């Protein structure tokens, strides 16, 4: 028997040593042969992952110099407007990081830009997953993991930009205190627990520091690991196309092709973030000064991902307060915009995969993605919620809009209030009609082909436009989707005339299912396609069969002149 060849290089010997003791070679071999489909939108998740890596690297550097203390000190730095001022140790250490530590300002700005890109890539990645139906079975759990990651990203961002203890972050904490206190019964107790007493207390910066560098990053790391594990376990989704089914994956192997692309993507993202940190100033806390609850100024906005909460609070009328028994005040003007509206948004995100599975009755595994046009109501709902988010984000900057465009802030606020109710509805209606129109356009293209612009005249004087037939790949893409129908409602009574148990709930789900799938466009069937290609205009003109048999495949008849 031939003796196996022993490794000779140091790396080979180290790998052999590890493999003999852990059998890791089996895992590496399996992962190396894992197939990943190719599409630019799959890089959105990688942007979030690599931005988080940059956050960890820069965060470690910043944590070495930041002092999470609210003890008052006098800053003796070189900045004239702040020299000798009384401020918290947290704000003073932030100034020292920016002006005294070599590379400190660069690291601060890279860290902040990476946080913004991290949240933006998560949101866009989730939009891609939502619109293409990548959350369907067996990926419902991974959708929940992704939504939780987004919520944790919000918590990480808020706790992070609150740490410098400047005027802007202090105002954000004051708003948070008001939101917490608006919660009925337990609000005041929760505020005392969070701040360690009456706002602002002396402990909130230290507590936020622990949350920001330990608790939230640990949870995010654990969920990222779970997210990647589930992705590998379920295999990657792929866009529809020739040869792609729910039982295969068409793409490139993890090693070396996909790994090389990931490595290049990481260094590109790191380079872009470093360039942004070096050239684009952000969160210049020395312009705001240390936190003081007395000054109130315009133009104070949080980071973009928290703007929807700011806008929601600004649009809510201030008169919505109710004084109940026992002289207890229910602050609906804070509770509704800051708790109820975000609760509706996140509840929609977390429950939608299960809602769609219920109204379709579809419990099969899906690995091929939907084209958004083929699921009109889902796409329209996504656009409607996105429209509401954008309106609220713009409302969070109503003071800047007023000052820049010399408009009345009251008029702007009322416009946004009206848009918040009409905008999502209008966006839903328009998006749904566009999707249905695109589906009808697909039917037309499959049956008749692309317009070539070529007009042919016959000896009889008849004119026809010659259409270019679709190739097999394009035709397959436009016809190979599953059209869903509303759930069928069984009779209210069984065969013995007894009313069925659960009929009321079935009736409700039937109505919801009709809302989703009553308006639909069926894909072209093989019989319709064969008839269109054989007769030019389906089987509608049997008498002209012989005349159309002489036409090219895909040509249609237009009687402009006889």
């Amino acid at each position: 028997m031939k003796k196996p060849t022993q490794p000779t290089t140091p790396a080979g010997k180290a790998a052999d040593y590890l493999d003999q003791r852990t059998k890791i070679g089996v895992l590496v071999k399996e992962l190396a042969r894992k197939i990943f489909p190719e599409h630019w939108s799959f890089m959105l998740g990688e942007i979030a992952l690599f931005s988080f890596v940059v956050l960890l690297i820069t965060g470690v550097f910043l944590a070495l110099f930041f002092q999470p203390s609210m003890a008052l000190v006098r800053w003796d730095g070189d900045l004239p407007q702040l020299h000798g001022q009384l401020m918290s140790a947290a704000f003073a250490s932030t100034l020292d990081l920016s002006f005294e530590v070599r590379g400190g300002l660069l690291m601060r700005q890279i860290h902040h830009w990476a946080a913004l890109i991290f949240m933006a890539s998560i949101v866009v990645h989730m939009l891609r997953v939502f619109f293409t139906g990548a959350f369907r079975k067996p990926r419902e759990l991974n959708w929940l993991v992704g939504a939780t990651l987004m919520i944790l990203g919000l918590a990480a961002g808020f706790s992070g930009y609150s740490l410098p203890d400047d005027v802007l972050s202090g105002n954000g904490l004051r708003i948070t205190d008001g939101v917490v206190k608006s919660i009925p019964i337990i609000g005041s107790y929760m505020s005392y627990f969070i701040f360690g007493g009456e706002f602002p207390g002396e402990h909130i910066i230290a507590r936020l520091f622990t949350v920001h560098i330990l608790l939230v990053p640990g949870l995010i790391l654990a969920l990222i690991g779970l997210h990647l594990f589930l992705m590998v376990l379920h295999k990657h989704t792929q866009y529809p196309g020739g040869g792609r089914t729910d039982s295969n994956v068409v793409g490139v192997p993890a090693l070396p092709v996909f790994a090389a692309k990931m490595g290049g993507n990481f260094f590109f993202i790191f380079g872009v973030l470093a360039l942004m940190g070096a050239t684009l100033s952000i969160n210049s806390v020395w312009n705001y000064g240390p936190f003081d609850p007395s000054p109130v100024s315009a133009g104070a906005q949080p980071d973009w991902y928290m703007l929807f909460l700011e806008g929601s609070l600004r649009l809510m009328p201030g008169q919505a307060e109710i004084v109940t028994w026992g002289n207890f005040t229910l602050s609906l003007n804070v509770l509704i915009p800051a708790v109820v509206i975000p609760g509706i948004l996140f509840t929609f995100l977390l429950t939608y995969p299960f809602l769609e599975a219920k109204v379709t009755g579809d419990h099969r595994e899906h690995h091929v993605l939907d084209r958004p046009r083929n699921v009109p109501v889902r796409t329209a709902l996504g656009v409607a919620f996105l429209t509401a988010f954008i309106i609220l984000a713009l409302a969070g900057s109503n003071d800047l809009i007023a000052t820049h465009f010399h408009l009345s802030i009251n008029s702007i606020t009322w416009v946004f209030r009206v848009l918040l109710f009409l905008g999502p509805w209008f966006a839903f209606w328009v998006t749904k009609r566009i999707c249905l129109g695109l589906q009808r356009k697909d039917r037309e293209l499959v049956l008749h082909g692309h317009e070539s612009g070529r007009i042919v005249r016959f000896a009889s004087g008849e004119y026809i436009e010659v259409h270019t037939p679709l190739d097999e790949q394009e035709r397959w893409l436009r016809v190979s989707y599953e059209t869903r129908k509303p759930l069928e409602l069984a009779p209210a009574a069984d065969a013995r005339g007894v009313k069925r148990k659960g009929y009321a709930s079935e009736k409700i789900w039937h109505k919801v299912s009709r809302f989703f799938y009553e308006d639909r466009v069926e894909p072209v069937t093989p019989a319709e396609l064969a008839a269109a290609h054989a007769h030019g205009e389906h089987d509608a003109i049997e008498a002209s069969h012989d005349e159309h048999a002489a036409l090219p495949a895909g040509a249609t008849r237009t009687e402009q002149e006889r």
Side-chain angles (χ1 to χ4, degrees):
M1 183 177 179
K2 187 177 179 180
K3 188 176 181 180
T5 304
Q6 296 296 322
T8 56
T9 63
K13 291 179 180 179
D16 184 63
Y17 178 88
L18 188 63
D19 184 50
Q20 290 182 19
R21 288 157 179 80
T22 63
K23 300 299 181 183
I24 196 173
V26 178
L27 177 62
V28 172
K29 184 178 180 181
E30 183 66 26
L31 291 177
R33 293 186 298 185
K34 194 76 177 175
I35 301 299
F36 288 88
E38 293 186 288
H39 194 272
W40 64 266
S41 66
F42 296 145
M43 295 293 179
L44 296 170
E46 293 182 23
I47 294 175
L49 174 62
F50 297 146
S51 297
F52 183 70
V53 173
V54 175
L55 283 170
L56 292 179
I57 295 172
T58 55
V60 170
F61 179 90
L62 297 176
L64 297 176
F65 300 96
F66 181 74
Q67 298 180 32
S69 170
M70 298 183 72
L72 295 178
V73 298
R74 289 196 180 276
W75 190 63
D76 57 356
D78 296 331
L79 205 62
Q81 65 265 33
L82 294 177
H83 180 81
Q85 279 199 28
L86 198 64
M87 60 186 66
S88 67
F91 187 75
S93 65
T94 303
L95 294 177
D96 291 336
L97 250 173
S98 302
F99 299 111
E100 304 295 335
V101 177
R102 189 180 299 273
L105 182 58
L106 175 64
M107 287 295 183
R108 276 193 63 231
Q109 297 196 150
I110 292 177
H111 191 77
H112 203 124
W113 280 118
L116 298 181
I117 298 300
F118 174 67
M119 285 305 304
S121 55
I122 285 181
V123 171
V124 178
H125 177 62
M126 290 196 68
L127 288 174
R128 196 274 302 174
V129 171
F130 179 84
F131 286 125
T132 60
F135 53 79
R136 294 172 296 172
K137 184 180 179 180
R139 295 176 180 83
E140 302 97 330
L141 179 59
N142 223 5
W143 170 262
L144 297 179
V145 171
T148 307
L149 278 170
M150 186 183 70
I151 296 172
L152 288 174
L154 295 176
F158 175 77
S159 61
Y161 73 66
S162 298
L163 289 178
D165 199 29
D166 59 306
V167 168
L168 185 62
S169 64
N171 286 337
L173 285 174
R174 186 50 164 161
I175 293 173
T176 303
D177 177 55
V179 171
V180 172
K181 285 180 177 177
S182 72
I183 301 175
I185 302 176
I186 63 173
S188 57
Y189 299 101
M190 288 181 63
S191 174
Y192 269 66
F193 173 75
I194 292 171
F195 291 94
E198 187 57 64
F199 177 86
E202 299 178 352
H203 310 290
I204 187 60
I205 298 298
R207 293 178 178 181
L208 287 175
F209 185 70
T210 303
V211 169
H212 185 69
I213 72 164
L214 181 63
L215 180 61
V216 174
L219 292 173
I220 290 177
L221 278 173
L223 289 179
I224 286 177
L226 178 60
H227 188 74
L228 295 177
F229 169 76
L230 291 174
M231 184 192 70
V232 173
L233 180 66
H234 295 147
K235 73 184 180 182
H236 207 293
T237 55
Q238 56 187 342
Y239 282 93
R244 299 174 184 178
T245 67
D246 286 329
S247 58
N248 70 353
V249 180
V250 179
V252 296
L255 290 175
V257 181
F258 189 72
K261 290 184 177 181
M262 286 186 66
N265 195 19
F266 169 73
F267 287 110
F268 177 78
I269 292 168
F270 202 128
V272 170
L273 289 173
L275 181 64
M276 294 174 69
T279 59
L280 303 176
S281 179
I282 189 170
N283 198 26
S284 304
V285 295
W286 52 89
N287 290 330
Y288 310 133
F291 175 62
D292 183 349
S294 59
V296 177
S297 62
Q301 274 78 27
D303 286 338
W304 73 266
Y305 48 85
M306 300 296 289
L307 265 178
F308 78 102
L309 278 176
E310 178 83 9
S312 182
L313 285 165
R314 294 188 184 195
L315 293 186
M316 186 69 185
Q319 299 84 358
E321 284 189 355
I322 300 175
V323 180
T324 62
W325 62 93
N327 204 29
F328 179 80
T329 302
L330 187 61
S331 301
L332 297 179
N333 54 344
V334 178
L335 183 68
I336 291 177
V339 179
V340 175
I341 290 181
I344 293 173
L345 172 64
F346 294 130
T347 300
F348 173 79
L349 285 176
L350 294 171
T351 59
Y352 185 83
F354 308 98
L355 171 65
E356 185 171 299
K358 181 71 174 179
V359 298
T360 59
D362 181 11
H363 301 288
R364 298 183 298 107
E365 289 193 1
H366 294 274
H367 303 289
V368 176
L369 300 173
D370 286 328
R371 300 176 76 202
R373 67 181 62 182
N374 294 334
V375 196
V377 172
R378 180 209 294 160
T379 304
L381 282 173
V383 173
F385 272 86
L386 185 61
T387 301
F389 178 88
I390 293 173
I391 291 172
L392 291 175
L394 291 174
S397 301
N398 61 351
D399 52 345
L400 293 179
I401 296 173
T403 56
H404 279 68
F405 296 98
H406 307 289
L407 300 172
S408 167
I409 192 170
N410 291 326
S411 300
I412 294 172
T413 301
W414 273 105
V415 168
F416 280 129
R417 284 173 179 171
V418 174
L419 284 177
L420 183 60
F421 289 96
L422 298 183
W425 171 83
F426 183 71
F428 175 89
W429 180 78
V430 170
T431 304
K432 183 179 177 182
R433 303 321 303 176
I434 290 175
C435 289
L436 292 172
L438 289 173
Q439 285 182 277
R440 294 187 181 98
K441 180 64 175 178
D442 283 347
R443 281 186 60 90
E444 182 72 16
L445 288 174
V446 171
L447 292 173
H448 306 299
H450 292 285
E451 294 182 358
S452 65
R454 180 178 166 221
I455 307 297
V456 177
R457 178 184 179 186
F458 288 96
S460 62
E462 177 186 9
Y463 288 88
I464 66 164
E465 179 184 5
V466 179
H467 287 65
T468 304
L470 276 62
D471 58 45
E472 292 185 1
Q473 290 283 352
E474 187 177 2
R475 184 184 302 122
W476 190 94
L477 178 66
R478 297 178 188 277
V479 301
S480 63
Y481 67 91
E482 179 184 0
T483 178
R484 299 174 178 88
K485 299 179 180 180
L487 296 175
E488 294 185 3
L489 182 63
D494 58 19
R496 298 174 296 176
V498 179
K499 186 176 181 180
R500 292 188 302 107
K501 187 177 181 180
Y503 174 76
S505 63
E506 288 181 12
K507 191 175 181 180
I508 294 174
W509 283 114
H510 173 69
K511 291 181 178 180
V512 177
S513 184
R514 285 185 58 190
F515 166 75
F516 271 81
Y517 302 116
E518 187 172 33
D519 295 330
R520 62 188 184 277
V521 177
E522 299 288 343
V524 176
T525 64
E528 289 176 316
L529 183 62
H533 285 186
H535 302 290
E537 293 183 357
H538 313 271
D539 283 328
I541 310 178
E542 292 290 344
S544 302
H545 172 71
D546 295 335
E547 184 178 333
H548 280 281
L551 298 181
T556 61
R557 180 183 176 201
T558 304
E559 290 192 83
Q560 212 171 7
E561 178 183 339
R562 283 192 179 273

